[in-house]
Amino acid sequence: MAKPIKKILNDPRRAVDEMLDGLVLASDGRTKRLAVDAIVKSEIPDGKVALLIGGGSGHEPLFHGFIGENMGDGAACGQFFAAPSPHIVYEAAKAVHRGKGILFLYGNYAGDNMNFDIGAEMLADEGVEVRTVRVTDDVAAAPPERMHDRRGIAGDLLMIRVVGAAAAHLDRLDEVERVAKKAMAGLRSMGVAVLAGSIPETGKLTFDLADDEIEIGMGAHGEAGISRQKLGTADEITDQMMEKILADLPFQAGDEVALLINNLGATTMMEMLVVNRRVRQILAERGITVHRSDVGTWVTSQEMAGLSISLMRLDGELKRYLDMPSRSVGYSSLEVK
Amino acid sequence: MRVDDERAAEMLLAVARAVLDRVDDLTDADLAIGDGDHGIGMRRGFEAVELVLENPPSGIDGVFKAAGMAIMSNTGGAAGAVFGSVFTSGAAAFAAQEEITPEGFVEFLTAAQGAVQRRGGVAEGAKTMLDALAPAARAAAGASDLKTATAAAAEAALQGVEATKAMIATTGKARSLGERSVGHPDPGAISMSIILGAMRDYVAG
């Protein structure tokens, strides 16, 4: 028997709209909302290569919470778990464009691809140059030879940080696109789901999982993963995920990586840190150095419980961008000297 | 029934009502193999159709285009791009036409199918709305009157929905379910069959 879903909301149909208002207010003037469902930085310098991110709502603070210093210039925001319309993409893009072209950076989902593409065509008709890099970090979604079928999950945050910093410091769209592609080529993630989240408007859980079951590789919207199994220990689950992630690129001894352990919503920090401990043991055994780690809640699926592990292989250039300070409602970091 | 531009707007209002009546069914179908947002997305899109067709533009193509833009701008997700394209791209079939002829209706379905294939990069058999739309276009071809054409399209679309149950999703969020998607119909195909069923019912009067 399904339990009733408890959420602190007004009319669920107004939740995205009211969330966006609250988000802008939380930025203390550093962002503003457009007439459409889009959030842009209050001040974007002329001649800057623009970075537009975006996607469905319900994953806060992803994407719209990542507008700020060395992060996105604007976000096109969809309704709950649904891509933004071409109209929103177009308006958001126009608002952030400063004459140097725009990089679209978003997760690889059919709906996002189609809507951002239509938006890009509308901009191309007006002579605005747009390049697109899609985040395809989820190794559970498809085998390596079908990289274009992989969806974007928590690796979005690492991409937004690296590419955001690159777009703030490089003069040409070509160069920003090059950095984005390089970062994406070395990025791999995998998640594990423990409990389902729910959709406010329908009040229904996004998937069924028995009380003693977990699903390795489940997507951020409850898409099926690679293995449904009995709940094991943190070390067993971590070993299983790390084996897939490390073998996929593959990551090798001597590599330097950014490590991101992301909470899908309702997992405790205690569990996250226990997993982090095991991840670091495995990386140390393999001779892989962690240049930077982030453990926290950034790419969520409502009250879904579970977490994901992401690794991005770094070189000197990517390290430089990753070490720049980020500042947004959803993520802030100090400069690493 | 002779469907001129005024009646085309009435027909699409009937389509909108039919979709809105089935929102819960669409939600349940999408929860089974997707993320469960198809119903609420279609509700946003077709509520916008109702709004824009309160004062319909002139011309049958104008009516279809306005409905398509309303869907594209308000639905969001893959469904917005796909079902928006059905009406915006399909509208060209009715340019300068004073009524919807059976040939025009088939051309509408064919143009819509082409647009969806291009935009989504998918073919038939991938467990999508195309598996309702493409057989509908084929079934309606050659019909001598609009009543027969819409009835054939609606029936073929329903059969197409049934056929999607046996298919393995290879695109969209259901893709990762792989063989686990078998046994469930595609929610987008259901929507397409609702749209064509409502057109049939309207034309049959």
Side-chain angles (χ1 to χ4, degrees):
Chain A
M1 191 53 204
K3 296 193 183 94
I5 305 296
K6 283 184 180 168
K7 285 190 199 278
I8 303 168
L9 291 174
N10 300 308
D11 178 355
R13 296 178 65 167
R14 302 283 305 156
V16 169
D17 185 51
E18 293 177 354
M19 174 273 293
L20 292 175
D21 280 345
L23 177 58
V24 167
L25 291 166
S27 77
D28 292 329
R30 293 191 300 272
T31 67
K32 60 181 183 182
R33 189 171 170 181
L34 304 180
V36 296
D37 289 344
I39 288 182
V40 300
K41 250 165 89 173
S42 302
E43 288 174 23
I44 304 171
D46 282 340
K48 180 190 181 300
V49 174
L51 176 62
L52 183 70
I53 59 179
S57 294
H59 303 294
E60 289 72 30
L62 181 79
F63 289 90
H64 22 281
F66 296 151
I67 302 308
E69 185 189 351
N70 289 323
M71 299 188 83
D73 291 308
C77 314
Q79 285 295 313
F80 197 86
F81 285 4
S85 71
H87 178 61
I88 296 173
V89 171
Y90 171 84
E91 293 293 338
K94 294 281 278 188
V96 298
H97 190 229
R98 293 293 182 273
K100 286 288 190 74
I102 310 170
L103 186 78
F104 283 6
L105 177 69
Y106 55 87
N108 184 39
Y109 294 90
D112 293 291
N113 298 350
M114 287 190 269
N115 284 284
F116 274 91
D117 280 353
I118 296 171
E121 288 163 18
M122 291 161 71
L123 292 157
D125 287 345
E126 297 182 12
V128 176
E129 193 173 7
V130 174
R131 302 283 172 79
T132 295
V133 174
R134 295 172 180 150
V135 181
T136 56
D137 57 325
D138 189 351
V139 305
E145 62 273 18
R146 288 199 287 117
M147 193 64 72
H148 62 278
D149 280 342
R150 286 186 175 177
R151 51 196 175 228
I153 53 173
D156 284 335
L157 172 60
L158 292 172
M159 288 297 292
I160 291 165
R161 292 192 54 231
V162 168
V163 181
H169 292 85
L170 293 169
D171 290 336
R172 291 175 36 236
L173 181 57
D174 277 346
E175 281 289 287
V176 178
E177 182 189 27
R178 178 188 61 75
V179 170
K181 285 180 168 170
K182 178 166 72 174
M184 189 53 245
L187 177 63
R188 297 293 184 275
S189 304
M190 189 180 281
V192 59
V194 175
L195 289 169
S198 66
I199 300 183
E201 216 175 303
T202 63
K204 291 181 177 170
L205 296 175
T206 53
F207 54 88
D208 292 316
L209 205 51
D211 285 349
D212 61 345
E213 273 184 340
I214 61 166
E215 184 155 330
I216 305 269
M218 183 173 268
H221 312 84
E223 304 97 321
I226 52 174
S227 163
R228 190 166 281 213
Q229 58 197 51
K230 297 285 179 208
L231 174 64
T233 66
D235 286 2
E236 284 165 3
I237 294 166
T238 306
D239 289 356
Q240 209 177 336
M241 292 165 72
M242 285 298 284
E243 190 187 317
K244 298 272 185 200
I245 295 168
L246 290 169
D248 196 84
L249 190 56
F251 292 91
Q252 292 169 328
D255 281 350
E256 279 188 279
V257 298
L259 167 64
L260 168 68
I261 300 185
N262 175 67
N263 179 358
L264 285 161
T267 291
T268 62
M269 194 62 175
M270 174 183 274
E271 293 162 272
M272 304 277 295
L273 293 170
V274 169
V275 167
N276 184 49
R277 162 193 157 276
R278 182 60 176 177
V279 168
R280 295 298 292 259
Q281 285 174 354
I282 295 169
L283 291 174
E285 280 166 20
R286 303 273 188 126
I288 297 165
T289 310
V290 175
H291 175 71
R292 225 195 133 91
S293 44
D294 285 301
V295 181
T297 308
W298 295 292
V299 179
T300 65
S301 195
Q302 297 293 291
E303 70 274 41
M304 180 169 167
L307 54 85
S308 63
I309 303 170
S310 302
L311 294 178
M312 180 187 276
R313 185 163 60 197
L314 302 173
D315 64 5
E317 183 183 40
L318 296 179
K319 278 198 281 190
R320 197 163 65 245
Y321 292 128
L322 204 59
D323 287 345
M324 289 178 178
S326 301
R327 186 173 186 189
S328 65
V329 173
Y331 182 95
S332 288
S333 69
L334 300 175
E335 184 163 19
V336 175
K337 297 257 166 70
Chain B
M1 178 189 288
R2 185 175 179 275
V3 180
D4 57 14
D5 57 354
E6 204 172 302
R7 282 191 169 143
E10 265 183 33
M11 181 171 80
L12 295 192
L13 282 170
V15 165
R17 276 192 300 277
V19 171
L20 295 174
D21 280 347
R22 295 282 303 279
V23 163
D24 289 343
D25 295 339
L26 295 174
T27 297
D28 289 339
D30 196 31
L31 278 170
I33 61 167
D35 55 14
D37 70 353
H38 185 62
I40 53 181
M42 293 297 275
R43 179 165 67 201
R44 282 192 302 268
F46 284 84
E47 280 178 351
V49 169
E50 286 190 319
L51 207 62
V52 75
L53 292 184
E54 274 175 17
N55 298 297
S58 62
I60 299 171
D61 59 336
V63 168
F64 273 68
K65 194 162 276 180
M69 287 306 291
I71 295 165
M72 183 109 59
S73 303
N74 292 282
T75 307
V82 166
F83 286 94
S85 296
V86 164
F87 290 92
T88 55
S89 299
F94 305 124
Q97 302 280 310
E98 284 180 9
E99 68 175 296
I100 299 182
T101 62
E103 296 79 17
F105 179 68
V106 171
E107 205 179 316
F108 159 68
L109 294 178
T110 309
Q113 181 190 339
V116 171
Q117 278 173 339
R118 272 194 308 281
R119 181 58 66 195
V122 289
E124 281 179 73
K127 201 179 182 93
T128 71
M129 58 80 78
L130 262 186
D131 296 307
L133 175 56
R138 284 194 291 272
S144 56
D145 59 74
L146 187 58
K147 191 175 166 183
T148 318
T150 52
E155 177 55 31
L158 266 185
Q159 287 173 12
V161 171
E162 279 304 303
T164 62
K165 289 183 184 172
M167 295 175 189
I168 296 173
T170 56
T171 185
K173 283 179 183 146
R175 182 186 63 217
S176 56
L177 277 175
E179 291 184 359
R180 275 196 262 168
S181 66
V182 171
H184 300 284
D186 175 64
I190 297 175
S191 286
M192 195 65 230
S193 76
I194 294 169
I195 290 167
L196 292 172
M199 288 182 174
R200 172 200 56 205
D201 293 347
Y202 180 82
V203 172

